[in-house]
Amino acid sequence: MGVRKVKAAETAAALKQAARQQFAERGYLNTKITDITTAAGRATGSFYEHFASKEELLQALLADMEGQASDHFDSAEHPPHDLTSAGQLRDHLAVAWGVMRDNRAVQAALFESAIATGPASGVLWDQLAGGTSVLRDHLEYLRATGHQLPGDPVLVAAAMGAMLSLLAYALPPAGPGQQDSSPAPVYSDPDVIDTLTRLLLHGLAGSPAS
Amino acid sequence: MGVRKVKAAETAAALKQAARQQFAERGYLNTKITDITTAAGRATGSFYEHFASKEELLQALLADMEGQASDHFDSAEHPPHDLTSAGQLRDHLAVAWGVMRDNRAVQAALFESAIATGPASGVLWDQLAGGTSVLRDHLEYLRATGHQLPGDPVLVAAAMGAMLSLLAYALPPAGPGQQDSSPAPVYSDPDVIDTLTRLLLHGLAGSPAS
DNA sequence: GTCTATATACAGATAGAC
DNA sequence: GTCTATCTGTATATAGAC
């Protein structure tokens, strides 16, 4: 790889990094191309040498994220889970939550991008259904083994995904250190995961054993 | 009230109605002022005689909605509920779901408006917490009477609200009649309410009695 | 490839006649 | 109050020098 290409790759990486930071700070929709280039210390025109648009940049960030995520997933679980086991449900939620929080900016950007198309476009539903396809499979497995589900697996999976993704978007990150004076409470990630596990496993009525 | 004011009120109402329709069709963020005025059969400039901006129009729609909603709520339940009763939880969800679906356009617009401010603004969290304050009170009542909750009432309430509002936004309306060839499945409102009731009452593990 | 400067596009908002 | 026509601000995208 020549020197030119190396420098180009460096700029592309700088733009992507700056984009992640800006998306997290100002939100995807509010971020202008110039916000990204300025944060990356580059000129406005340079942006288009690497990405055709803000949306294409987002796709690149998504590809990066999925590249990393496959490292975690390929080695990990594939066999059918029993989501009615507290430990396994918690593990599942913890992985999903961790991915969302580790890639807050990209997740938030994808979410905002989907919302901006409006409710009638169906994009958000596709995103919700697509992001919970694994979960849906596990639920269908449960049903096939005779377990009574609360409802249609697709709907239940989507409901769980909706809860997760909107919470992950709305909750401020649990940064250890500077808790600002914002009205939003800060919950630690394990707290959130434990609460959601209990809620989704046994509901508001609580565990029959408790 | 004079004739001038009547005509003005008619135009304002026409603009609001057109806005509701456009918001539902194209989404709030994608709707331009001219989309609204055109749909209402008025000129662009007339808009500003009645509303200072699209956002102020949205506030007016919100006020209208809350005016109607108070009719339902003031006469209805105020005493503390026992959300661990299947019937009462279902009633509560049915009311919330009904309000969301009856005011789809306004709800969607508020949601989009909040999202557009970005995740760091805290607006979405405020909306989530504010919209579930009644729910939170019921949960705190449960806890005070010795019941074990899945976690902090504020967090549990927000999680439930997140599930409801994002699902209500993403799910296509269950219009009886023209089911288009869209990939999104259509669930009837009672189906959704029943499923969410079961999920939130006893979780994935299911009722101890079943 | 990167820069500065500029062009294009469009939504929001206003001016002034009726 | 409502209309047509226009102005302004701003974000995207391109042109052309280096």
Side-chain angles (χ1 to χ4, degrees):
Chain A
M1 192 184 274
V3 161
R4 281 239 306 281
K5 284 200 174 180
V6 168
K7 288 188 68 176
E10 276 173 8
T11 293
L15 288 172
K16 287 200 270 192
Q17 188 49 36
R20 273 186 280 262
Q21 183 229 327
Q22 293 292 304
F23 290 170
E25 248 175 58
R26 329 161 84 95
Y28 172 75
L29 297 173
N30 280 329
T31 298
K32 313 164 214 357
I33 306 286
T34 54
D35 292 330
I36 298 171
T37 52
T38 300
R42 312 294 157 120
T44 309
S46 291
F47 180 90
Y48 296 94
E49 194 67 30
H50 300 275
F51 308 100
S53 63
K54 193 169 69 168
E55 214 172 290
E56 194 180 274
L57 196 176
L58 178 54
Q59 291 306 315
L61 293 180
L62 175 61
D64 288 356
M65 191 189 80
E66 285 175 340
Q68 299 173 336
S70 67
D71 298 347
H72 286 266
F73 276 105
D74 287 344
S75 58
E77 61 260 316
H78 261 170
H81 281 217
D82 176 12
L83 290 182
T84 60
S85 142
Q88 293 192 29
L89 177 60
R90 192 188 187 285
D91 286 349
H92 202 106
L93 292 177
V95 169
W97 188 257
V99 169
M100 284 179 177
R101 302 303 280 202
D102 290 344
N103 302 280
R104 237 184 116 66
V106 179
Q107 291 282 342
L110 284 170
F111 188 60
E112 291 183 33
S113 173
I115 292 285
T117 63
S121 73
V123 172
L124 191 63
W125 174 261
D126 293 345
Q127 193 169 299
L128 218 47
T132 56
S133 60
V134 177
L135 183 55
R136 184 205 57 208
D137 290 345
H138 291 162
L139 293 175
E140 278 168 348
Y141 168 79
L142 272 180
R143 165 185 269 183
T145 56
H147 189 87
Q148 269 285 2
L149 291 184
D152 180 68
V154 175
L155 180 57
V156 174
M160 292 172 66
M163 190 160 111
L164 267 282
S165 45
L166 191 50
L167 263 192
Y169 185 87
L171 271 181
Q178 90 303 359
Q179 73 270 23
D180 55 314
S181 59
S182 86
V186 174
Y187 300 96
S188 73
D189 286 345
D191 276 357
V192 174
I193 294 167
D194 285 340
T195 296
L196 295 184
T197 301
R198 284 188 288 260
L199 176 60
L200 289 173
L201 187 62
H202 288 123
L204 295 174
S207 163
S210 76
Chain B
M1 192 184 273
V3 162
R4 280 239 307 281
K5 283 199 173 178
V6 168
K7 287 188 69 176
E10 275 174 9
T11 293
L15 289 171
K16 287 200 271 193
Q17 189 49 37
R20 273 186 282 261
Q21 183 229 327
Q22 293 292 304
F23 290 170
E25 247 175 60
R26 331 162 83 96
Y28 172 74
L29 297 173
N30 280 329
T31 298
K32 311 164 214 2
I33 306 286
T34 54
D35 292 330
I36 298 171
T37 53
T38 300
R42 312 294 157 119
T44 310
S46 291
F47 180 90
Y48 296 94
E49 194 67 29
H50 301 276
F51 308 100
S53 63
K54 192 168 69 170
E55 212 172 294
E56 194 180 272
L57 196 176
L58 178 55
Q59 291 306 316
L61 293 180
L62 176 61
D64 288 355
M65 190 188 81
E66 285 174 341
Q68 299 174 334
S70 67
D71 297 346
H72 287 268
F73 276 105
D74 286 344
S75 57
E77 63 260 316
H78 261 172
H81 282 217
D82 176 12
L83 290 182
T84 60
S85 141
Q88 293 193 30
L89 177 59
R90 192 188 187 286
D91 287 348
H92 202 107
L93 292 177
V95 170
W97 188 257
V99 170
M100 285 179 176
R101 303 302 281 203
D102 289 345
N103 302 280
R104 236 184 117 66
V106 179
Q107 291 282 341
L110 285 169
F111 187 59
E112 291 182 34
S113 173
I115 291 285
T117 63
S121 73
V123 171
L124 190 63
W125 174 261
D126 293 345
Q127 194 170 297
L128 218 48
T132 57
S133 59
V134 176
L135 184 55
R136 184 204 57 208
D137 290 345
H138 290 163
L139 293 174
E140 278 168 349
Y141 168 78
L142 271 180
R143 165 185 270 180
T145 56
H147 189 87
Q148 271 283 2
L149 290 184
D152 180 68
V154 176
L155 180 57
V156 174
M160 293 173 65
M163 190 160 109
L164 267 281
S165 45
L166 192 49
L167 263 192
Y169 185 86
L171 271 182
Q178 89 304 359
Q179 74 269 23
D180 56 313
S181 59
S182 87
V186 173
Y187 300 97
S188 74
D189 286 345
D191 276 357
V192 174
I193 294 167
D194 284 341
T195 296
L196 295 184
T197 300
R198 283 188 287 260
L199 176 60
L200 290 172
L201 188 62
H202 288 124
L204 295 174
S207 162
S210 76

